[in-house]
Amino acid sequence: MGMDASELGRGLFRILETGDRALAADVVHAEFRNREAAVSPEACSIPGPAGVLASGAWMRSAFSDLRFAVEDIAHQDDQVWVRLRMQGRHTGPFVKFRDGGLDQAVPPTGRAIDFEQIHVLGLRDGQVVSHEAVRDDVTMLGQLGVFPPEPAGMLRMVGWRLTGRAKRAAQAVTTQAAEAAARA
């Protein structure tokens, strides 16, 4: 017997927290597409469970103790809406991408993050087939000291870029995500 819509919604975020490949095979449709993958490593755009596992590896590389605390779930027909709080500690570089290349690398701050997101999941054949989100990224960037910019944080980001650490962090995260996708 398959999972109901609420279980599928919770399952998707459990995969991101844990990297559970067996759960990914049960929850994620082979044709899964993540609209939000544009700011992540290329492997996160791979269809199906591999892309979800890559996304989880990317996020866990930046945020230890990553949790998606579900606050509410609603569903109708072939859609599930999940309201949650993304929580964790920023212990690794948080690297964002644009057009397949490095956009921004936030050096680890050790700071806690806790901010709200709403996710819309499409369902097909008893699995999650699509994902899009509305996230409060401004709050997260504020918690990391990036927006509004804190002078010390901005100096660290500039230093990382000038010394090549940002580029190396992007390469490391890209490799981690690709390896997670390959193990799918």
Side-chain angles (χ1 to χ4, degrees), residues 13-174:
F13 294 99
R14 186 75 184 138
I15 296 161
L16 295 173
E17 292 172 342
T18 66
D20 185 328
R21 291 186 309 220
L23 184 58
D26 290 342
V27 169
V28 181
H29 196 281
E31 296 177 15
F32 175 86
R33 298 274 190 230
N34 179 8
R35 189 185 85 163
E36 310 307 318
V39 298
S40 42
E42 195 172 317
C44 300
S45 296
I46 296 172
V52 174
L53 291 165
S55 294
W58 168 59
M59 287 187 278
R60 290 190 313 276
S61 74
F63 302 104
S64 59
D65 303 321
L66 181 66
R67 292 175 313 285
F68 292 95
V70 174
E71 296 191 341
D72 197 17
I73 293 182
H75 57 88
Q76 182 175 346
D77 301 327
D78 62 350
Q79 282 195 326
V80 178
W81 299 272
V82 181
R83 187 171 59 87
L84 56 77
R85 300 195 72 77
M86 181 175 164
Q87 302 167 324
R89 184 155 307 277
H90 182 218
T91 55
F94 178 49
V95 182
K96 292 176 57 181
F97 296 80
R98 183 182 310 175
D99 300 325
L102 171 65
D103 180 36
Q104 180 181 53
V106 181
T109 63
R111 295 180 178 188
I113 59 160
D114 183 351
F115 65 103
E116 193 166 48
Q117 304 177 342
I118 297 172
H119 298 265
V120 181
L121 310 176
L123 305 179
R124 186 185 329 145
D125 304 326
Q127 292 181 302
V128 179
V129 72
S130 65
H131 168 261
E132 55 188 291
V134 178
R135 300 180 309 257
D136 186 2
D137 289 347
V138 171
T139 293
M140 179 193 64
L141 293 172
Q143 292 169 350
L144 298 179
V146 175
F147 184 82
E150 293 178 3
M154 295 311 293
L155 284 173
R156 288 180 66 220
M157 287 175 64
V158 168
W160 269 50
R161 196 168 280 272
L162 291 175
T163 62
R165 287 185 76 183
K167 186 175 182 179
R168 289 190 301 276
Q171 290 168 339
V173 141
T174 298

